[in-house]
Amino acid sequence: KQEVTQIPAALSVPEGENLVLNCSFTDSAIYNLQWFRQDPGKGLTSLLLIQSSQREQTSGRLNASLDKSSGRSTLYIAASQPGDSATYLCAVRHHGNKLVFGAGTILRVKS
Amino acid sequence: GAGVSQSPSNKVTEKGKDVELRCDPISGHTALYWYRQSLGQGLEFLIYFQGNSAPDKSGLPSDRFSAERTGGSVSTLTIQRTQQEDSAVYLCASSLPSGQGNEKLFFGSGTQLSVL
Protein backbone atom coordinates (compact mmCIF):
# COMPACT_ATOMS: atom_id res chain seq x y z
CA LYS A 1 0.00 0.00 0.00
CA GLN A 2 1.38 3.36 -1.04
CA GLU A 3 1.90 5.80 1.82
CA VAL A 4 2.91 9.44 1.49
CA THR A 5 4.55 11.34 4.34
CA GLN A 6 5.24 15.06 4.52
CA ILE A 7 7.74 16.72 6.80
CA PRO A 8 7.51 19.07 8.59
CA ALA A 9 3.85 19.10 9.56
CA ALA A 10 4.07 22.85 10.13
CA LEU A 11 6.62 25.53 9.41
CA SER A 12 6.84 29.20 10.34
CA VAL A 13 9.46 31.41 8.68
CA PRO A 14 10.16 35.13 8.33
CA GLU A 15 9.48 36.77 5.00
CA GLY A 16 12.29 36.46 2.48
CA GLU A 17 13.62 33.11 3.61
CA ASN A 18 14.18 30.23 1.21
CA LEU A 19 12.55 27.04 2.41
CA VAL A 20 12.20 23.35 1.59
CA LEU A 21 9.20 21.11 2.10
CA ASN A 22 9.72 17.36 2.03
CA CYS A 23 7.60 14.51 0.71
CA SER A 24 8.40 10.81 0.82
CA PHE A 25 6.53 7.82 -0.57
CA THR A 26 6.92 4.13 0.16
CA ASP A 27 6.47 2.60 -3.31
CA SER A 28 8.70 4.04 -6.03
CA ALA A 29 6.51 2.67 -8.84
CA ILE A 30 4.73 5.96 -9.38
CA TYR A 31 3.32 7.47 -12.53
CA ASN A 32 3.74 11.09 -11.49
CA LEU A 33 3.88 13.37 -8.44
CA GLN A 34 2.06 16.64 -7.90
CA TRP A 35 2.42 19.44 -5.40
CA PHE A 36 -0.72 21.34 -4.45
CA ARG A 37 -1.51 24.40 -2.39
CA GLN A 38 -4.65 24.69 -0.26
CA ASP A 39 -5.85 27.94 1.26
CA PRO A 40 -8.23 27.82 4.26
CA GLY A 41 -11.76 26.95 3.21
CA LYS A 42 -10.75 26.49 -0.39
CA GLY A 43 -10.03 23.64 -2.77
CA LEU A 44 -6.59 22.60 -3.94
CA THR A 45 -4.55 24.40 -6.57
CA SER A 46 -2.04 22.37 -8.57
CA LEU A 47 1.42 23.95 -8.43
CA LEU A 48 3.73 21.53 -10.18
CA LEU A 49 3.45 18.11 -11.77
CA ILE A 50 6.53 15.93 -12.26
CA GLN A 51 6.29 12.89 -14.49
CA SER A 52 8.11 9.75 -13.30
CA SER A 53 10.74 10.22 -16.03
CA GLN A 54 11.51 13.79 -14.94
CA ARG A 55 13.82 15.04 -12.19
CA GLU A 56 12.42 18.49 -11.54
CA GLN A 57 9.93 21.17 -12.54
CA THR A 58 10.08 24.91 -11.99
CA SER A 59 7.43 27.59 -11.90
CA GLY A 60 8.44 31.08 -10.82
CA ARG A 61 9.81 30.92 -7.27
CA LEU A 62 8.87 27.27 -6.94
CA ASN A 63 11.06 24.31 -7.79
CA ALA A 64 10.06 20.69 -7.22
CA SER A 65 12.48 17.79 -7.50
CA LEU A 66 11.83 14.08 -7.72
CA ASP A 67 14.11 11.19 -6.79
CA LYS A 68 11.93 8.23 -7.61
CA SER A 69 14.43 5.56 -6.60
CA SER A 70 14.69 6.90 -3.06
CA GLY A 71 10.98 7.79 -2.86
CA ARG A 72 11.50 11.47 -2.20
CA SER A 73 10.39 14.84 -3.53
CA THR A 74 11.14 18.34 -2.33
CA LEU A 75 9.38 21.62 -2.95
CA TYR A 76 11.72 24.59 -2.78
CA ILE A 77 10.22 28.05 -2.31
CA ALA A 78 12.57 30.95 -2.92
CA ALA A 79 12.26 34.35 -1.25
CA SER A 80 9.10 33.44 0.64
CA GLN A 81 6.26 35.97 0.94
CA PRO A 82 3.29 36.22 3.33
CA GLY A 83 1.04 35.27 0.39
CA ASP A 84 2.76 31.90 0.29
CA SER A 85 1.12 31.02 3.61
CA ALA A 86 -1.06 27.95 2.98
CA THR A 87 -1.09 24.19 3.34
CA TYR A 88 1.12 22.41 0.81
CA LEU A 89 0.14 18.89 -0.21
CA CYS A 90 2.10 16.28 -2.09
CA ALA A 91 0.33 13.52 -4.03
CA VAL A 92 1.54 10.56 -6.07
CA ARG A 93 -0.30 8.75 -8.80
CA HIS A 94 0.38 5.11 -8.06
CA HIS A 95 -1.36 2.08 -9.54
CA GLY A 96 -4.74 2.78 -10.99
CA ASN A 97 -6.41 6.10 -11.14
CA LYS A 98 -6.26 7.62 -7.70
CA LEU A 99 -3.77 10.05 -6.25
CA VAL A 100 -2.47 9.23 -2.79
CA PHE A 101 -2.04 12.38 -0.74
CA GLY A 102 0.20 13.27 2.17
CA ALA A 103 -1.24 15.03 5.20
CA GLY A 104 0.33 18.33 4.16
CA THR A 105 2.68 20.95 5.55
CA ILE A 106 1.12 24.08 7.03
CA LEU A 107 3.33 27.03 6.06
CA ARG A 108 3.19 30.43 7.67
CA VAL A 109 5.35 33.24 6.32
CA LYS A 110 5.56 36.12 8.76
CA SER A 111 5.87 39.70 7.52
CA GLY B 1 -17.45 27.73 -16.45
CA ALA B 2 -13.79 28.46 -16.00
CA GLY B 3 -13.24 26.08 -13.12
CA VAL B 4 -14.72 23.11 -11.27
CA SER B 5 -17.98 24.10 -9.65
CA GLN B 6 -19.43 22.35 -6.60
CA SER B 7 -22.77 22.84 -4.90
CA PRO B 8 -23.87 23.40 -2.28
CA SER B 9 -20.83 24.99 -0.65
CA ASN B 10 -22.23 24.08 2.76
CA LYS B 11 -24.77 21.46 3.80
CA VAL B 12 -26.07 20.82 7.30
CA THR B 13 -28.24 17.75 7.70
CA GLU B 14 -29.66 15.53 10.40
CA LYS B 15 -28.37 12.06 11.03
CA GLY B 16 -30.25 9.53 8.91
CA LYS B 17 -31.12 11.90 6.08
CA ASP B 18 -29.90 11.48 2.51
CA VAL B 19 -27.77 14.17 0.83
CA GLU B 20 -26.73 14.88 -2.75
CA LEU B 21 -23.58 16.77 -3.65
CA ARG B 22 -23.04 18.10 -7.15
CA CYS B 23 -19.91 18.64 -9.22
CA ASP B 24 -19.66 20.39 -12.57
CA PRO B 25 -16.18 19.73 -14.05
CA ILE B 26 -14.18 21.84 -16.45
CA SER B 27 -15.49 21.53 -19.99
CA GLY B 28 -13.52 18.93 -21.94
CA HIS B 29 -12.17 17.16 -18.85
CA THR B 30 -13.15 13.53 -19.16
CA ALA B 31 -11.64 12.44 -15.84
CA LEU B 32 -13.53 13.28 -12.63
CA TYR B 33 -12.61 12.45 -9.03
CA TRP B 34 -14.34 12.68 -5.68
CA TYR B 35 -12.23 13.02 -2.52
CA ARG B 36 -13.11 13.50 1.13
CA GLN B 37 -11.11 15.63 3.55
CA SER B 38 -11.80 15.21 7.22
CA LEU B 39 -10.60 17.64 9.87
CA GLY B 40 -6.90 17.15 10.51
CA GLN B 41 -6.59 14.33 8.00
CA GLY B 42 -5.36 13.98 4.45
CA LEU B 43 -7.47 13.59 1.36
CA GLU B 44 -9.24 10.26 1.02
CA PHE B 45 -10.01 8.99 -2.48
CA LEU B 46 -13.64 8.02 -3.03
CA ILE B 47 -14.38 7.41 -6.72
CA TYR B 48 -13.01 8.11 -10.22
CA PHE B 49 -14.82 8.44 -13.56
CA GLN B 50 -13.08 8.36 -16.93
CA GLY B 51 -15.19 8.86 -20.01
CA ASN B 52 -17.52 5.95 -20.64
CA SER B 53 -15.40 3.46 -18.71
CA ALA B 54 -16.70 1.75 -15.59
CA PRO B 55 -15.94 4.00 -12.58
CA ASP B 56 -13.30 3.07 -10.03
CA LYS B 57 -15.36 2.84 -6.84
CA SER B 58 -12.61 1.31 -4.72
CA GLY B 59 -12.53 4.24 -2.28
CA LEU B 60 -16.20 4.40 -1.33
CA PRO B 61 -16.31 3.72 2.44
CA SER B 62 -19.67 1.93 2.53
CA ASP B 63 -22.69 1.03 0.43
CA ARG B 64 -24.37 4.20 1.71
CA PHE B 65 -22.17 6.11 -0.72
CA SER B 66 -22.81 6.18 -4.45
CA ALA B 67 -21.97 8.44 -7.35
CA GLU B 68 -23.00 8.86 -10.92
CA ARG B 69 -21.90 10.92 -13.84
CA THR B 70 -24.52 11.61 -16.43
CA GLY B 71 -23.61 12.50 -19.99
CA GLY B 72 -19.93 12.44 -19.16
CA SER B 73 -20.14 15.81 -17.45
CA VAL B 74 -21.94 16.64 -14.19
CA SER B 75 -21.48 14.20 -11.31
CA THR B 76 -23.59 13.65 -8.21
CA LEU B 77 -22.31 12.05 -5.00
CA THR B 78 -25.13 10.65 -2.87
CA ILE B 79 -24.82 9.68 0.77
CA GLN B 80 -27.76 7.78 2.18
CA ARG B 81 -28.72 7.59 5.86
CA THR B 82 -25.96 10.03 6.82
CA GLN B 83 -23.93 9.43 9.96
CA GLN B 84 -21.94 11.91 12.04
CA GLU B 85 -18.67 10.39 10.82
CA ASP B 86 -19.66 11.44 7.28
CA SER B 87 -19.03 15.07 8.28
CA ALA B 88 -16.16 16.32 6.11
CA VAL B 89 -15.33 18.47 3.12
CA TYR B 90 -16.16 16.66 -0.10
CA LEU B 91 -13.90 17.76 -2.95
CA CYS B 92 -14.38 17.17 -6.65
CA ALA B 93 -11.59 17.40 -9.21
CA SER B 94 -11.33 17.00 -12.95
CA SER B 95 -8.50 16.54 -15.42
CA LEU B 96 -7.68 15.62 -18.97
CA PRO B 97 -7.38 11.84 -19.48
CA SER B 98 -4.35 10.28 -17.82
CA GLY B 99 -1.57 9.25 -20.14
CA GLN B 100 -1.53 12.46 -22.13
CA GLY B 101 1.21 13.98 -19.98
CA ASN B 102 -1.00 16.75 -18.69
CA GLU B 103 -2.90 15.18 -15.84
CA LYS B 104 -2.97 18.14 -13.48
CA LEU B 105 -6.02 17.94 -11.28
CA PHE B 106 -8.23 20.99 -10.94
CA PHE B 107 -10.24 21.04 -7.73
CA GLY B 108 -13.51 22.70 -6.83
CA SER B 109 -13.91 24.61 -3.56
CA GLY B 110 -15.67 21.66 -1.96
CA THR B 111 -18.88 21.02 -0.07
CA GLN B 112 -18.64 21.25 3.71
CA LEU B 113 -21.01 18.58 5.02
CA SER B 114 -22.07 18.68 8.67
CA VAL B 115 -24.20 15.85 10.03
CA LEU B 116 -25.85 16.71 13.35
Side-chain angles (χ1 to χ4, degrees):
Chain A
K1 179 186 173 187
Q2 176 74 274
E3 293 183 357
V4 179
T5 303
Q6 292 188 245
I7 295 173
L11 182 63
S12 182
V13 300
E15 182 177 5
E17 265 200 18
N18 302 325
L19 58 98
V20 174
L21 307 182
N22 297 290
C23 172
S24 61
F25 44 95
T26 55
D27 189 332
S28 62
I30 64 169
Y31 186 70
N32 60 40
L33 181 146
Q34 292 187 62
W35 282 94
F36 294 87
R37 167 188 175 135
Q38 186 174 29
D39 294 283
K42 300 290 180 65
L44 280 68
T45 300
S46 180
L47 299 173
L48 292 164
L49 182 151
I50 311 177
Q51 300 290 357
S52 61
S53 58
Q54 297 174 325
R55 295 299 297 256
E56 66 176 345
Q57 284 285 329
T58 298
S59 175
R61 295 182 293 108
L62 305 179
N63 176 276
S65 67
L66 173 63
D67 184 343
K68 201 174 74 163
S69 61
S70 67
R72 295 178 188 274
S73 176
T74 62
L75 179 66
Y76 176 82
I77 303 177
S80 58
Q81 303 171 358
D84 295 331
S85 299
T87 298
Y88 290 81
L89 294 151
C90 163
V92 298
R93 185 186 293 276
H94 186 49
H95 297 307
N97 308 303
K98 61 183 179 182
L99 268 66
V100 179
F101 282 82
T105 294
I106 301 172
L107 173 64
R108 180 185 172 212
V109 181
K110 299 172 289 186
S111 56
Chain B
V4 178
S5 177
Q6 291 189 246
S7 61
S9 55
N10 282 282
K11 177 70 176 179
V12 180
T13 190
E14 294 179 350
K15 178 181 172 181
K17 301 279 190 182
D18 298 351
V19 295
E20 279 191 358
L21 312 179
R22 177 189 167 104
C23 173
D24 199 342
I26 292 173
S27 178
H29 281 192
T30 58
L32 186 146
Y33 303 77
W34 282 98
Y35 279 85
R36 177 168 72 173
Q37 187 174 34
S38 303
L39 192 62
Q41 299 188 21
L43 272 76
E44 175 188 5
F45 167 80
L46 297 177
I47 189 169
Y48 165 79
F49 294 91
Q50 172 55 56
N52 295 322
S53 302
D56 177 352
K57 304 179 182 179
S58 60
L60 294 178
S62 77
D63 58 9
R64 295 186 295 105
F65 288 72
S66 63
E68 62 177 23
R69 188 178 185 192
T70 54
S73 182
V74 172
S75 177
T76 303
L77 177 68
T78 301
I79 308 174
Q80 296 179 309
R81 304 181 303 282
T82 52
Q83 303 295 313
Q84 289 182 332
E85 61 262 28
D86 299 335
S87 298
V89 176
Y90 289 81
L91 291 162
C92 175
S94 70
S95 76
L96 292 170
S98 60
Q100 295 189 358
N102 194 17
E103 305 92 347
K104 280 191 177 183
L105 262 64
F106 294 82
F107 279 81
S109 297
T111 294
Q112 172 73 64
L113 175 65
S114 300
V115 182
L116 305 179

